Amino acid sequence: MQTKNGYSTYSKKATPSIDAIVEQYGYLVKKIAYHLLARLPDSVDVDDLIQAGMMGLIEAFKRFESTKGASFETYAGIRIRGSIMDEVRKTDWAPRSVRRNGRAVANAIKELESTLGREVSDMEVASHMNISMDEYHEMIHSSMSTQLFSYEEMLDSDTNNLDSVESETGNAPYSLVEEGGFQSQLASEIDNLPEREKLVLSLYYNEELNLKEIGAVLGVSESRVSQIHSQAAMRLRARLSDWRD
């Protein structure tokens, strides 16, 4: 095995055991689990996410082919994220009120942007809904993980050429973004977000910074980064509602 950045890299020639792979890449599972935890409700246990991620790591080990063009760490990271997110979806933690509130916020954003012909602020949306800013931010935070379009899935599939990695199955790593048209539209809408929202998404999903680190970059609090992130998610949900409904 070779060493890269202090961690051993995986090679099929070395044929390591599953235990060895778990030991070498357990840090990656924990990193991804804690990264995703930031957008999930307090009721979600990080240990459950880590357990699901470990299953994704083992699946990656069993399926990886070095000739497909992606590194094992890249491939494993995508499998780990997919397993964790699948587990969250199966748990279906969100009560009906959370989903109802999420739809109400998305509808309010869509209506305002259509009427005004421009991007609207969180304050404008809260005023339109006749709720306080605190109530509004709580609603969008609670609704975050019910958004069934995942930015990192699209970004990973675009940047890592995963179609070739998965060509033996004929399926992408996730079934979430099924239509090419939707994927293209999602990319377009992300690009059309307000600059600060787009920057937060880029730092979170591309650079894999946590909320505290993003706050340091932007000079705002961690809670404000969470609000910006949630607002971006709701804005995308509003703009893409015609695709997902």
Side-chain angles (χ1 to χ4, degrees), residues 8-21:
S8 297
T9 57
Y10 165 56
S11 168
K12 275 288 187 180
K13 294 180 180 179
T15 60
S17 66
I18 290 178
D19 287 344
I21 288 294

Side-chain angles (χ1 to χ4, degrees), residues 8-156:
S8 297
T9 57
Y10 165 56
S11 168
K12 275 288 187 180
K13 294 180 180 179
T15 60
S17 66
I18 290 178
D19 287 344
I21 288 294
V22 169
E23 181 177 354
Q24 292 165 28
Y25 291 98
Y27 78 94
L28 183 60
V29 174
K30 291 180 180 179
K31 176 184 176 181
I32 293 172
Y34 278 100
H35 193 247
L36 294 176
L37 185 66
R39 49 187 281 218
L40 297 172
D42 295 338
S43 59
V44 175
D45 189 338
V46 70
D47 289 337
D48 292 338
L49 302 186
I50 291 173
Q51 183 177 2
M54 287 296 182
M55 297 303 296
L57 174 61
I58 293 171
E59 182 67 17
F61 167 65
K62 293 178 178 178
R63 296 175 60 87
F64 179 70
E65 293 186 26
S66 59
T67 59
K68 294 296 183 179
S71 70
F72 177 72
E73 185 166 342
T74 295
Y75 181 80
I78 295 165
R79 283 284 179 185
I80 291 165
R81 277 192 290 272
S83 292
I84 291 174
M85 294 166 67
D86 284 346
E87 179 63 25
V88 172
R89 292 188 191 102
K90 284 191 296 185
T91 303
D92 194 21
W93 61 270
R96 290 182 180 179
S97 60
V98 169
R99 299 184 184 279
R100 184 169 59 248
N101 289 341
R103 287 193 297 270
V105 172
N107 288 339
I109 293 174
K110 184 175 182 179
E111 180 178 331
L112 280 174
E113 290 194 338
S114 176
T115 300
L116 300 175
R118 60 170 174 81
E119 298 161 353
V120 292
S121 68
D122 48 3
M123 185 176 298
E124 288 175 314
V125 180
S127 176
H128 182 73
M129 298 179 68
N130 294 316
I131 57 177
S132 69
M133 288 297 295
D134 286 344
E135 289 174 312
Y136 176 74
H137 286 142
E138 176 59 32
M139 287 172 67
I140 61 175
H141 176 72
S142 297
S143 299
M144 264 295 292
S145 61
T146 68
Q147 311 310 306
L148 294 185
F149 41 81
S150 171
Y151 323 114
E152 68 267 22
E153 290 176 9
M154 182 200 70
L155 295 172
D156 282 336

Side-chain angles (χ1 to χ4, degrees), residues 205-221:
Y205 293 103
N206 290 345
E207 304 301 326
E208 297 190 343
L209 300 185
N210 59 40
L211 301 186
K212 183 176 181 180
E213 291 168 334
I214 296 172
V217 171
L218 299 182
V220 299
S221 68

